[in-house]
Amino acid sequence: AKENGRNRYEFFTSSLSRMAAERVSLERDLRNALQKKQFELFYQPQIDLKTGELIGCEALIRWHHPKRGRVPPDAFIPIAEETGLIVEIGHWVLEEALQQLSLWTTDNSSFNMAINFSARQFNEDVPEVMKSLLQKYQIDGKKVTLEITESLLIKQPDQAINMLTKIRSLGINIALDDFGTGFSSLSYLKKFPLDKLKIDRSFIKEMHRNKDDIAITKSIIATAKHFDLTTIAEGVENEQQVTLLQEIGCDHIQGYFYSKPVPAFDMQQKIKQNTSG
Ligand code: C2E
Ligand code: CA
Ligand code: CA
Ligand code: CA
């Protein structure tokens, strides 16, 4: 038994050090990924539930690793945040998404580009940076949404309010992502300058067979309406969910039911189909 215990211990430590080595190697590769042009943005359509129209998309980063293949963002965004690499990567995302939007949009289109924005990327230069990027690509701020999470709001609430106000004065929309998870509370909707609320997938996933999830989603939507916020349901995968969300008055949906995130070329085709039809 003693022998056995020691083996288990050795197994445990060696798997821990394997994980540490793995992390060091990912981090090293991440440092060079921008320069080696290994990132790509995919785009996931957002649909208006009333009209069925394509109203915009969310940009989602992809990392094509030469040896590991496609590394999912959940595996490297946290590392990028811890190391501060997210500042550079996030800037690349902003520029790439806005450049793409400038190629897709016309003056009279209202097609919207949503961009994920990490709390670690937030600093006092952001409003100026956004302003000059909008100028560079000749984009109306109304066509852009920054998706933030509660972590950005909790750290320094007053500073967050101040900066979000400056960013919104450029016309840019602010969406609160993953709403309903973590410690996010309805009181945020009163306190922070927001335009949209993204209802987390965890409430949508089982809603067609779970009355509790319907009740929660309903009350999120009712409260959001009170504050004049647009609601977007994330992770919509089937028709029953679409019908339920229509019934309870959700504004927009995003999810595999309509489309997975797709490369820029495919997104462009979808935009063309939508506007010519
Ligand atoms: P998120 O912002 O909540 O993005 C939604 C995630 O749900 C995406 O995963 C998307 O592919 C996935 N999804 C969409 N529809 C469905 C569905 O119907 N079913 C299921 N099961 N999943 C669905 P993805 O692309 O792997 O991104 C994961 C997370 O990584 C994102 O969560 C976001 O937090 C982060 N992320 C992605 N791109 C960026 C970026 O450019 N910058 C920053 N800071 N974070 C990013
Ligand atoms: Ca998001
Ligand atoms: Ca989300
Ligand atoms: Ca998320």
Side-chain angles (χ1 to χ4, degrees):
K2 225 177 202 168
E3 191 62 22
N4 208 340
R6 208 182 75 204
N7 282 343
R8 229 176 346 212
Y9 174 75
E10 278 165 3
F11 174 77
F12 183 64
T13 48
S14 75
S15 90
L16 264 188
S17 58
R18 233 190 347 263
M19 275 163 66
E22 176 80 6
R23 148 92 207 212
V24 169
S25 129
L26 257 190
E27 185 180 322
R28 188 196 51 221
D29 295 345
L30 195 56
R31 285 186 191 282
N32 301 312
L34 256 187
Q35 182 204 326
K36 292 189 173 163
K37 301 193 188 307
Q38 291 167 352
F39 293 122
E40 180 182 2
L41 291 185
F42 273 31
Y43 301 89
Q44 187 175 36
Q46 296 180 330
I47 307 302
D48 185 306
L49 261 181
K50 277 209 191 81
T51 64
E53 254 178 283
L54 175 69
I55 47 121
C57 65
E58 177 180 3
L60 293 156
I61 196 169
R62 299 291 178 259
W63 180 14
H64 303 287
H65 190 284
K67 289 207 191 74
R68 297 168 194 264
R70 198 182 284 170
V71 184
D74 287 333
F76 71 88
I77 292 287
I79 300 177
E81 288 174 337
E82 283 165 40
T83 54
L85 286 168
I86 193 69
V87 175
E88 261 182 277
I89 296 173
H91 192 271
W92 178 85
V93 170
L94 277 173
E95 182 128 24
E96 180 76 11
L98 292 182
Q99 182 175 25
Q100 201 54 256
L101 180 62
S102 74
L103 299 174
W104 287 342
T105 193
T106 55
D107 282 347
N108 49 21
S109 128
S110 58
F111 188 83
N112 190 277
M113 176 70 76
I115 304 168
N116 289 286
F117 203 83
S118 159
R120 275 295 308 269
Q121 264 176 279
F122 223 55
N123 63 52
E124 57 246 38
D125 299 336
V126 171
E128 266 310 308
V129 169
M130 290 311 299
K131 190 177 169 185
S132 61
L133 283 175
L134 290 177
Q135 252 158 17
K136 180 170 176 188
Y137 293 104
Q138 291 291 298
I139 292 170
D140 181 348
K142 289 197 195 79
K143 295 179 184 175
V144 178
T145 299
L146 287 189
E147 295 195 359
I148 62 166
T149 56
E150 57 169 40
S151 56
L152 188 146
L153 306 177
I154 307 169
K155 261 199 300 185
Q156 287 162 309
D158 294 335
Q159 210 178 332
I161 291 172
N162 187 10
M163 295 250 274
L164 293 178
T165 304
K166 281 188 189 156
I167 293 171
R168 279 176 95 221
S169 74
L170 302 168
I172 294 172
N173 302 276
I174 306 293
L176 187 54
D177 205 350
D178 304 338
F179 189 77
T181 61
F183 297 98
S184 60
S185 86
L186 290 169
S187 70
Y188 286 2
L189 309 189
K190 182 179 170 189
K191 194 166 176 189
F192 295 100
L194 301 168
D195 302 282
K196 304 181 185 180
L197 206 62
K198 296 195 81 173
I199 305 164
D200 194 69
R201 184 167 74 90
S202 56
F203 303 113
I204 309 300
K205 216 163 114 190
E206 305 288 329
M207 76 181 310
H208 51 297
R209 45 175 172 245
N210 185 331
K211 289 212 166 70
D212 297 346
D213 289 332
I214 297 179
I216 293 171
T217 307
K218 246 183 174 167
S219 71
I220 291 176
I221 290 172
T223 315
K225 286 242 159 86
H226 171 83
F227 289 105
D228 226 4
L229 301 174
T230 301
T231 48
I232 307 168
E234 305 193 284
V236 176
E237 293 185 354
N238 61 52
E239 192 142 26
Q240 294 147 283
Q241 294 164 338
V242 174
T243 307
L244 278 168
L245 287 163
Q246 250 159 357
E247 279 168 15
I248 61 180
C250 185
D251 298 311
H252 302 159
I253 57 165
Q254 190 183 332
Y256 295 172
F257 177 71
Y258 190 84
S259 169
K260 290 197 168 181
V262 295
F265 180 81
D266 302 43
M267 190 65 227
Q268 186 169 356
Q269 300 306 107
K270 288 178 190 291
I271 295 171
K272 275 190 195 155
Q273 281 165 18
N274 198 71
T275 48
S276 63

